[in-house]
Amino acid sequence: MALKITSGCVNCWACEPLCPSAAIEPASPHFRIDPAACSECAGEYADPQCASICPIEGAIVDASGAALNPPGSLTGIPPRLLEQTRARIQAR
Amino acid sequence: MESKQAGHDRKTPTSGCAAGGCGGGSALDRLPAATRERVRNHPCFSEDAHQHYARMHVAVAPACNIQCHYCNRKYDCANESRPGVVSELLEPQQAADKVAAVAAHIPQLSVVGIAGPGDPLANPERTFATFRLIAERTPDLRLCVSTNGLALPEAVDTLCRYNIEHVTITINCLDPDIGAEIYPWVFWNNRRVRGRKGAEILIEQQQLGLERLVERGMLVKVNSVLIPGVNDQHLTEVSRAVKAKGAFLHNLMPLIAEPEHGTFYGLMGQRAPRASELRALQTECAGDMAIMRHCKQCRADAVGMLGEDRSAEFTLERIATLEIDDAAALARRTAAREAIEQRRRGVAPALVPLSTLSASRPRPATHAARIAVASSDGRLVDQHFGHAERFLVYEVDEQGERLLDERPLARYCNGAEHCDEDDDALAPALAALADCAMVLCSRIGLAPWERLETAGIRPNGELAMLPIEQALRAAHRELAERGALSIDEPQRATLSA
Ligand code: SF4
Ligand code: SF4
Ligand code: SF4
C-alpha cells in the first residue's frame, strides 16, 4: 500500500516535510515516494498528508492509479459545472 | 511542519505607542519616531527612498499551505510577485551567500525580503534559518517577510526573536463568503479544508496574526488584490478594518489574470481591474488609510533598485567565484548610506502616501499607455526588434510605470510551421503587441517598422541602450506630445460605473 507521485508534480516541497514516514524525497524530474516506506498515513492521520496539501490535481495517485485529487477537486469546480462557472465569472 | 515556538519573550525595538491610541492623523503619523525613521529608508515604502535604496528578495520558501485562485503553483507566490514568474529556489546558506555578494556590489542595498516562491511561514525552518544566516553575515541589512497569514499567529514570537523589521500580510477579504470565491482550500490541522470553512479559518488567522504583530510593535503592511466582481466593493471595509487594527500601510494591487499563466481565474476568464478602477479604489481608501501606490509587484528573487532586476548578475555560479570581504563591504554600505542621506537632507521624508493622501486634493488626470520593450536583461532597451524572443509590456502614466506582462513570442505562434514562413514571421510579434501604443527596441528593420505602424503600434529605436525606466518615461512624453494618449482618470471611472 503506497501512494505515488506523477509527472504533474511541480516540485513545490509542500508534501515532503509532512510525511510521517519520511517517505517523500526530492528527485528528478519530480518528487518521489518510496513505496516501501509509505504507509498511506494509516494509523497516523485520517487523510494521507501529502495528498492533503498537494496543490496539483492528479499529482498523487494510489496503487490503482486513481488520483487522490481528481480533476476539479482542488479548484472546487466539478468538471460538469465548469462552463456554468466560467459564464458566471466572465460576467463580472 | 509546525515550527517549534519557544515561549519566551523578547523585547522589540519599537517604543510603546505602535498599537495606536496616540490619536490623530494618518496611520503613518501615529508611528513612533524610530519606526518612521526605519520606513524612511525602505525602498518599497517610501517614494523618495525607492530612488536611492535597493532591495532584494531571496526565494527560499517553496511550499504553500493554501490555494489562491489567482495563483498557479508552478510559479511564484502571486501575492507578492507578478504571476507567471519562476524564481530559482535557494537553500538558506546559498541565500545568505547571495545576499552578501549583492550587498558587496550594490552598496545601496538596505532591505532583504523573503516573499516566496511559496508562503515563507509555510516553510518556517528554511525562512528562519535564512534570516539567522543573513543577520550573522550582513547585520546592517533590514529583513522583511510576507505571508498569506495562515501560519502567522504561531510564528509571531519567532518573528520577533529574529528581529524582522516588518511583515506583509495579504488580506483580500474579511467575509468568508467572499473568501470562498478567492480561496478554494487551506491546509489546516493536517486536513484540507475547503470552501467557506477554509476561508473562515484563513481570515481568522490573518486577523489574529495582524493583532499579535501590532501588539508586539512590529510594522505590518497589508496587501490586497483587487478582484473585480469579487472583493472590489469590499476592500474599503478591509482597508478600514486593518487600519483600525494598526496596520501602517495598505497596498492595493491589481489582479493579474492571463489565461497563459494557467491560474484558475486566468483560465476562467476573470477580468483584471482597469487602471482607472484601481486608482479610484486607492483614492477612496486613501481617506482612511495610508495607501501605497508605487509597488512594482517584484518577483521573488528580484535584486536591485525598485523597478529594475539585476538578479541575472548574481547567479549561483557567479557567486561561487566571488571573493567577498564582508567588513570592507559593510564599510562601503555605510559610506553609501551617508552619501545618500546627505543628498536627501533638506528633502522632507515624504512617505509614500502623504503627498497623495488628502482626498480633497484633486488628482490630476493621468494618461496611461501600454509600451512594449525589447530587452535581453530586463534592464536596458538593448535588443533588435527582430531578435527579441519576448517583449516586456509596461503600463506607463505620469506617476510611473508598472510591468504588466512578459510576452514570449512563442506564445503567439499558431503552430511552428506557420511562423517559419517568411510572410508570417511578424504575425506573432504583431499579435503580442496588439494592445501596445509603442514598442521600444535597439534597432528595427524597415519592413517590420512599416507593418507595426500600419497596425497602430509606434516602433521606436531612438531610446536604445537606455535603462528601461528612463526610456519609458521619454516614450510616454513622446506619446503625450503626439496626443496619442487616452485619458484615464478616476472621475471618468465613476461616471461610467
Ligand atoms: S501517504 Fe502519508 S506516508 Fe505515504 S507518502 Fe504521503 S504523507 Fe508519506
Ligand atoms: S505537494 Fe504535490 S506538487 Fe508539491 S512536491 Fe509534493 S507531489 Fe509535488
Ligand atoms: S499564498 Fe501565494 S503561493 Fe500560496 S496560493 Fe496564494 S498566491 Fe500562491
Side-chain angles (χ1 to χ4, degrees):
Chain A
M1 243 187 27
L3 301 187
K4 192 169 175 251
I5 294 176
T6 72
S7 61
C9 167
V10 296
N11 297 311
C12 78
W13 286 83
C15 55
E16 187 263 354
L18 296 178
C19 175
S21 323
I24 307 175
E25 53 186 13
S28 182
H30 55 76
F31 276 65
R32 77 178 278 281
I33 293 173
D34 175 358
C38 171
S39 61
E40 295 196 7
C41 291
E44 304 271 358
Y45 296 101
D47 304 325
Q49 291 301 287
C50 54
S52 298
I53 199 165
C54 179
I56 306 295
E57 292 168 350
I60 300 185
V61 296
D62 66 15
S64 76
L68 275 87
N69 298 303
S73 64
L74 297 189
T75 59
I77 314 292
R80 69 193 156 78
L81 293 181
L82 210 61
E83 276 318 308
Q84 232 171 300
T85 312
R86 195 189 305 267
R88 179 170 66 80
I89 288 177
Q90 285 183 353
R92 281 172 186 163
Chain B
M1 181 180 48
E2 274 293 297
S3 67
K4 277 173 223 79
Q5 314 289 350
H8 54 86
D9 219 318
R10 185 180 180 287
K11 57 182 179 313
T12 49
T14 40
S15 67
C17 88
C22 299
S26 74
L28 291 169
D29 295 338
R30 281 203 318 245
L31 292 174
T35 313
R36 287 182 61 117
E37 189 52 33
R38 289 197 318 222
V39 176
R40 200 179 102 84
N41 292 345
H42 194 303
C44 301
F45 292 162
S46 162
E47 208 148 25
D48 178 48
H50 98 259
Q51 302 165 20
H52 303 285
Y53 288 102
R55 53 78 182 99
M56 72 181 286
H57 294 169
V58 285
V60 294
C64 188
N65 46 13
I66 69 171
Q67 180 69 53
C68 306
H69 270 328
Y70 45 74
C71 178
N72 176 351
R73 295 295 297 117
K74 279 193 192 113
Y75 306 120
D76 291 1
C77 175
N79 280 336
E80 278 291 318
S81 17
R82 288 170 291 106
V85 167
V86 185
S87 298
E88 183 184 19
L89 184 66
L90 301 180
E91 293 302 316
Q93 187 62 57
Q94 294 172 318
D97 292 346
K98 181 171 177 179
V99 169
V102 172
H105 285 79
I106 307 181
Q108 304 95 317
L109 185 72
S110 68
V111 179
V112 182
I114 299 184
D119 183 73
L121 300 182
N123 302 259
E125 280 102 16
R126 284 168 165 265
T127 296
F128 292 128
T130 306
F131 281 143
R132 183 168 43 74
L133 293 167
I134 294 173
E136 278 167 19
R137 190 146 175 213
T138 39
D140 59 314
L141 298 180
R142 286 158 322 137
L143 307 174
C144 61
V145 63
S146 53
T147 176
N148 62 40
L150 184 67
L152 177 57
E154 297 71 34
V156 166
D157 281 340
T158 318
L159 286 169
C160 293
R161 190 157 59 239
Y162 281 94
N163 222 343
I164 312 292
E165 179 223 56
H166 81 268
V167 176
T168 300
I169 317 174
T170 298
I171 299 181
N172 293 322
C173 57
L174 306 168
D175 175 346
D177 287 320
I178 294 175
E181 293 282 327
I182 304 171
Y183 309 106
W185 57 265
V186 308
F187 181 78
W188 182 246
N189 284 343
N190 299 99
R191 291 220 135 119
R192 198 185 311 261
V193 184
R194 296 163 201 273
R196 188 180 193 282
K197 212 163 154 221
E200 204 173 341
I201 295 168
L202 178 64
I203 291 166
E204 259 170 42
Q205 291 290 102
Q206 291 171 336
Q207 296 299 317
L208 186 61
L210 168 59
E211 287 159 23
R212 285 195 188 162
L213 285 172
V214 170
E215 240 169 60
R216 302 287 293 268
M218 182 79 81
L219 287 181
V220 185
K221 176 186 115 206
V222 170
N223 276 355
S224 299
V225 181
L226 168 57
I227 311 164
V230 177
N231 67 353
D232 45 352
Q233 306 292 319
H234 181 56
L235 282 178
T236 45
E237 193 185 330
V238 172
S239 203
R240 269 195 300 275
V242 300
K243 180 208 177 183
K245 290 200 169 154
F248 84 108
L249 195 58
H250 194 187
N251 182 18
L252 294 162
M253 307 191 299
L255 171 74
I256 302 179
E258 303 286 343
E260 58 269 25
H261 296 147
T263 64
F264 174 80
Y265 279 156
L267 294 172
M268 297 300 274
Q270 164 71 46
R271 75 173 177 91
R274 288 178 276 274
S276 56
E277 288 176 304
L278 179 66
R279 268 191 222 108
L281 182 70
Q282 286 175 333
T283 305
E284 197 181 332
C285 291
D288 292 312
M289 177 74 188
I291 300 293
M292 184 164 152
R293 292 182 198 266
H294 70 269
C295 174
K296 303 272 200 278
Q297 294 175 274
C298 307
R299 44 187 290 161
D301 61 0
V303 170
M305 307 295 278
L306 214 58
E308 73 168 11
D309 189 355
R310 298 176 58 179
S311 52
E313 293 169 47
F314 298 95
T315 57
L316 288 179
E317 300 80 67
R318 167 119 197 274
I319 290 166
T321 66
L322 294 174
E323 267 193 39
I324 296 159
D325 179 342
D326 284 334
L330 175 60
R332 269 201 304 281
R333 287 197 295 279
T334 311
R337 268 171 222 149
E338 269 166 24
I340 291 171
E341 286 312 307
Q342 241 160 36
R343 250 182 288 141
R344 291 175 80 195
R345 212 154 291 150
V347 181
L351 289 158
V352 184
L354 295 187
S355 55
T356 43
L357 257 182
S358 139
S360 57
R361 188 187 322 165
R363 290 166 41 70
T366 56
H367 304 76
R370 286 198 178 175
I371 302 177
V373 179
S375 168
S376 66
D377 60 356
R379 295 198 297 130
L380 302 179
V381 181
D382 67 351
Q383 255 187 335
H384 190 298
F385 180 83
H387 298 164
E389 286 170 351
R390 48 133 214 193
F391 289 94
L392 303 174
V393 175
Y394 293 81
E395 177 139 295
V396 190
D397 65 18
E398 281 81 353
Q399 285 156 29
E401 74 294 315
R402 187 164 64 80
L403 181 56
L404 283 183
D405 204 3
E406 243 183 73
R407 299 189 183 161
L409 290 186
R411 196 195 284 161
Y412 299 86
C413 284
N414 304 316
E417 334 81 61
H418 218 67
C419 289
D420 284 345
E421 287 169 33
D422 253 348
D423 51 338
D424 260 306
L426 271 174
L430 287 170
L433 304 177
D435 58 343
C436 299
M438 190 182 258
V439 54
L440 312 183
C441 52
S442 66
R443 296 181 60 191
I444 179 167
L446 192 60
W449 179 287
E450 284 169 351
R451 294 257 322 253
L452 283 167
E453 281 220 300
T454 317
I457 308 160
R458 288 202 58 77
N460 184 337
E462 279 157 29
L463 302 166
M465 299 321 288
L466 285 180
I468 289 177
E469 271 190 85
Q470 199 183 332
L472 286 172
R473 275 197 297 275
H476 185 264
R477 266 198 308 277
E478 187 185 323
L479 286 169
E481 278 156 18
R482 288 170 184 275
L485 295 176
S486 60
I487 296 187
D488 178 24
E489 51 182 334
Q491 287 89 323
R492 209 179 60 161
T494 333
L495 285 179
S496 62

